[in-house]
Amino acid sequence: MKRHGLNYEKPLSYMREYLLRMREAPYYGPRPAAEPPMILAALRPRMLELAMSETMGTITALMPPEAIATMRATIGPGKWICAQQVVMLDTDAARARAAARKFLHFYLGSPTYHTHLRALGFADADLAGDGSDRLVDSLVAWGDERRLQLCLDAHLEAGANHVVISPISSAGGHRPDERALEAMAPQ
């Protein structure tokens, strides 16, 4: 399988080699006071094992808090989990779900994400078409500020060290929703 011009048929082997090349690459800028941390995106168990053995931790994608709790139980307390959460500041269910489905369209067309989502307990019916309401509501936090904050808190309570938000707008477009960024900014 080619992706972005790269041969990605064996993602684990490819990533292991990539990490090695990153460590060996020449660096010509001013040296930082400490070695910058490296983390690896990992959806599946073998990539997570690589992330735990070769980096400071992982950044997730499209994982509900329950999956973060399972991941934390698997890797223990010593490594980072940076949980990505898609958020949308909109309380209208129909509008929010329609926008969330547009956002999820790419992922629902990917065999890799189908495997990932099945492993999280979603059935073929959840993955069919534009995705079930259960799937959409599990992967995209939508609602008012309080509801979004509860979702972010759930990731932290499940064991994430940090939550990375991906704010999307129910109006569509590719730019992050600045209202959601402002609403979710640390106080």
Side-chain angles (χ1 to χ4, degrees):
M1 169 173 63
K2 284 267 190 181
R3 211 165 156 188
H4 304 293
L6 302 171
N7 186 349
Y8 208 69
E9 288 179 8
K10 295 184 176 187
L12 190 64
S13 299
Y14 179 89
M15 192 53 66
R16 186 174 283 115
E17 185 179 316
Y18 179 82
L19 290 172
L20 180 62
R21 286 191 320 244
M22 288 249 324
R23 285 189 181 93
E24 293 175 349
Y27 179 79
Y28 301 107
R31 284 276 167 214
E35 192 66 28
M38 187 182 322
I39 61 173
L40 179 63
L43 295 177
R44 307 287 294 134
R46 291 179 60 207
M47 195 65 78
L48 182 61
E49 287 174 16
L50 179 63
M52 296 309 102
S53 67
E54 299 294 326
T55 74
M56 292 293 297
T58 188
I59 184 167
T60 68
L62 301 179
M63 285 198 178
E66 309 81 58
I68 299 300
T70 301
M71 183 180 279
R72 177 54 72 199
T74 300
I75 68 170
K79 296 288 185 168
W80 293 355
I81 298 176
C82 300
Q84 178 242 23
Q85 177 62 60
V86 180
V87 298
M88 184 184 324
L89 195 55
D90 197 318
T91 58
D92 181 274
R95 186 173 49 229
R97 287 180 178 140
R101 283 183 168 97
K102 285 181 183 175
F103 173 81
L104 293 171
H105 179 79
F106 166 81
Y107 301 100
L108 292 179
S110 164
T112 299
Y113 275 91
H114 272 225
T115 302
H116 163 64
L117 295 168
R118 281 189 190 100
L120 294 179
F122 293 102
D124 287 342
D126 292 309
L127 302 172
D130 290 333
S132 69
D133 285 353
R134 178 175 94 90
L135 176 77
V136 169
D137 293 350
S138 181
L139 301 180
V140 177
W142 56 269
D144 61 16
E145 291 177 32
R146 178 168 158 59
R147 185 163 187 230
L148 299 184
Q149 189 60 56
L150 288 172
C151 185
L152 302 183
D153 291 345
H155 282 287
L156 295 170
E157 290 166 12
N161 300 81
H162 183 75
V163 181
V164 178
I165 65 167
S166 296
I168 63 173
S169 171
S170 60
H174 297 286
R175 294 183 48 90
D177 184 353
E178 306 246 349
R179 297 172 317 122
L181 280 173
E182 189 173 316
M184 299 290 95
Q187 302 300 323

